[in-house]
Amino acid sequence: MLFLLLAVIVVIISHFVAAQGVSVTYFDARAKAEVTKKAVSLLTPDGLRYMFNSATKNFTGFAPLGTVLVAMLGVGVAEWTGLFNTSLKKLLMNANPKFLTPIVLFAGIMSNIASDAGYIIVIPIGALIFAMAGRHPLAGMAAAFAGVSGGFSANLLIGTTDPLLTGITNQALKAAGIDMTLDPTCNWYFLAASTFVLTLIGTIVTDKIVEPNLGTYTGKYRPDNAPVTDLENKALRNATIALIIYVLIMGLLMFPANALFRSPEPDGVLTLKAFLHDGLIPAILLLFLIPGAAYGWTTGKLRTSHDLVAAMTEAMKSMGGYMVLAFFASQFIAYFGKTNLGLIVSFKGADALEAAGLTGLPLIILFIFLSAFLNLFMGSASAKWAIMAPIFVPMMYRLGLSPALTQVAYRIGDSSTNIITPLMSYFAMIVVFMNKYEEDAGL
């Protein structure tokens, strides 16, 4: 209902802003051209037609919908057969529960190398790990969400975001006539160090603030604390063998120079870009389905293909609430994009900062806060940077600040507010994951 209310608010605000004739003109670094955008009212004949005609497409085209549902088919099998339960019992058998927080946070931060996969895998598993260790599952979910989303840019490795943002920065430099080119690794030292800093800070916040304030867990979920049997150990071994074989096969399909999953880029070079964008989620489905099936067939829980379908069906049943929520969340996000309100707020904010006349460290700090604030209105990191880079990269360069510093300051602000903006497309999914442990959990 909150997403429905937010959608109605956007519709009303769009009418008043459009009536004032508000528009922005800016250089779009991705389109490599000057663009003018006007506020669009949804309380007009065209706007009303748009809301009705696009409702189905907004829902079916909602970015996380297919991603979550496809991945959950595999994750559901691993959970239904008992693979998750047994694996975590073995993992936690001799583990100190206090070490779980940094492990979950670190795994969340590192998961962004696989794009959005961490939202689907690390966050629900973080909650499950905490629950089985006798800790509050929502604290585990919060820690994982903070790692995956709040630490989205930090990593020990170079991910897909690095060349994407650096390409926009270089285009902004070129458009401003600045003879300088950044490498995709230009922020790596900072982001690698941030991985450890964020893990430490996240651990302190989770253990000292979040979990004590949640109190004792009294929800419906109760972990299975029965000892691991010989049959379960055998099934776990078979699942591990199946997993290793699958990973080796996928490695052969991905990493050799002429591997099957490499697609040609416009310049003829074979890369994994298309696979990482479109093929990774089916690969994750199999990553959980194959070991889960091996485990289930060994224990006898999976006997026929009908049992396998039953496991997937059970996983989809738990996604019913997510699909309802996703319908209204997708309308809200689509309306916000259609009205251009996010673009207008972004540009006006950038204009105000440019006019502030600050230099040096105060300018960088204020720029971080601006990036964080704008992320509440525009979820896409690359879309915001395409607007902001042509303004701030040349401006700060002329004030003696490196474009690499400007870019990393943007990334700090952009990541830090991912975990509190409802415009982040996976936000709705987190609420549904919470409902497994607390039925009355909401926004």
Side-chain angles (χ1 to χ4, degrees), residues 41-42 44-51 338:
S41 171
L42 295 180
T44 62
D46 284 342
L48 292 171
R49 282 192 292 268
Y50 165 79
M51 286 190 284
K338 178 69 174 177

Side-chain angles (χ1 to χ4, degrees), residues 55-72:
T56 303
K57 188 166 66 173
N58 292 342
F59 177 52
T60 58
F62 189 47
L65 184 64
T67 300
V68 172
L69 295 181
V70 171
M72 285 303 295

Side-chain angles (χ1 to χ4, degrees), residues 105 109 150-152 154 193-203:
L105 275 154
I109 293 169
F152 183 74
S194 296
T195 301
F196 298 106
V197 173
L198 292 176
T199 299
L200 175 62
I201 293 173
T203 299

Side-chain angles (χ1 to χ4, degrees), residues 105-114 151-159 162 185 187-199 411:
L105 275 154
F106 182 78
I109 293 169
M110 291 298 294
S111 72
N112 69 60
I113 194 69
F152 183 74
S153 278
N155 209 295
L156 297 181
L157 304 171
I158 298 298
D162 296 276
T185 56
N187 295 148
W188 181 73
Y189 288 147
F190 182 86
L191 301 181
S194 296
T195 301
F196 298 106
V197 173
L198 292 176
T199 299
R411 297 178 75 170

Side-chain angles (χ1 to χ4, degrees), residues 81-354:
T81 57
L83 174 59
F84 278 171
N85 192 60
T86 302
S87 300
L88 293 177
K89 277 197 286 187
K90 293 280 286 186
L91 175 70
L92 299 171
M93 199 173 290
N94 299 308
N96 186 330
K98 287 295 180 183
F99 291 143
L100 297 182
T101 308
I103 290 171
V104 167
L105 275 154
F106 182 78
I109 293 169
M110 291 298 294
S111 72
N112 69 60
I113 194 69
S115 190
D116 296 340
Y119 287 101
I120 306 157
I121 300 168
V122 178
I123 293 173
I125 290 180
L128 190 58
I129 287 175
F130 268 53
M132 295 194 68
R135 298 180 62 183
H136 203 297
L138 294 192
M141 188 171 294
F145 190 24
V148 173
S149 202
F152 183 74
S153 278
N155 209 295
L156 297 181
L157 304 171
I158 298 298
T160 55
T161 306
D162 296 276
L164 178 63
L165 296 183
T166 305
I168 295 172
T169 303
N170 287 334
Q171 184 59 42
L173 288 167
K174 182 179 177 182
I178 299 171
D179 186 18
M180 184 180 189
T181 303
L182 299 182
D183 293 323
T185 56
C186 67
N187 295 148
W188 181 73
Y189 288 147
F190 182 86
L191 301 181
S194 296
T195 301
F196 298 106
V197 173
L198 292 176
T199 299
L200 175 62
I201 293 173
T203 299
I204 294 170
V205 170
T206 301
D207 291 349
K208 302 297 184 184
I209 301 173
V210 175
E211 194 164 14
N213 278 287
L214 285 170
T216 304
Y217 178 63
T218 58
K220 60 183 178 179
Y221 179 83
R222 290 291 175 269
D224 174 15
N225 293 317
V228 178
T229 66
D230 291 339
L231 180 60
E232 287 174 334
N233 275 318
K234 180 183 177 182
L236 195 58
R237 182 196 67 202
N238 291 344
T240 303
I241 293 170
L243 176 63
I244 291 170
I245 293 171
Y246 173 71
V247 169
L248 290 173
I249 292 171
M250 289 300 294
L252 291 173
L253 292 172
M254 293 170 63
F255 297 117
N258 295 312
L260 181 66
F261 285 160
R262 290 181 176 268
S263 305
E265 293 294 303
D267 58 5
V269 177
L270 295 175
T271 72
L272 286 171
K273 185 176 179 181
F275 173 78
L276 292 174
H277 187 270
D278 299 317
L280 189 62
I281 296 304
I284 289 173
L285 183 158
L286 295 175
L287 181 71
F288 288 95
L289 190 151
I290 291 172
Y295 181 92
W297 279 320
T298 305
T299 60
K301 190 160 186 181
L302 283 182
R303 298 183 183 277
T304 67
S305 59
H306 296 293
D307 295 328
L308 189 63
V309 173
M312 294 182 180
T313 303
E314 193 64 31
M316 287 300 101
K317 285 180 182 177
S318 68
M319 288 289 100
Y322 172 65
M323 294 180 73
V324 173
L325 194 60
F327 177 80
F328 294 101
S330 66
Q331 306 308 319
F332 162 58
I333 292 173
Y335 293 175
F336 207 87
K338 178 69 174 177
T339 58
N340 291 326
L341 292 179
L343 282 169
I344 291 168
V345 170
S346 298
F347 187 84
K348 297 298 183 184
D351 204 31
L353 181 57
E354 188 177 15

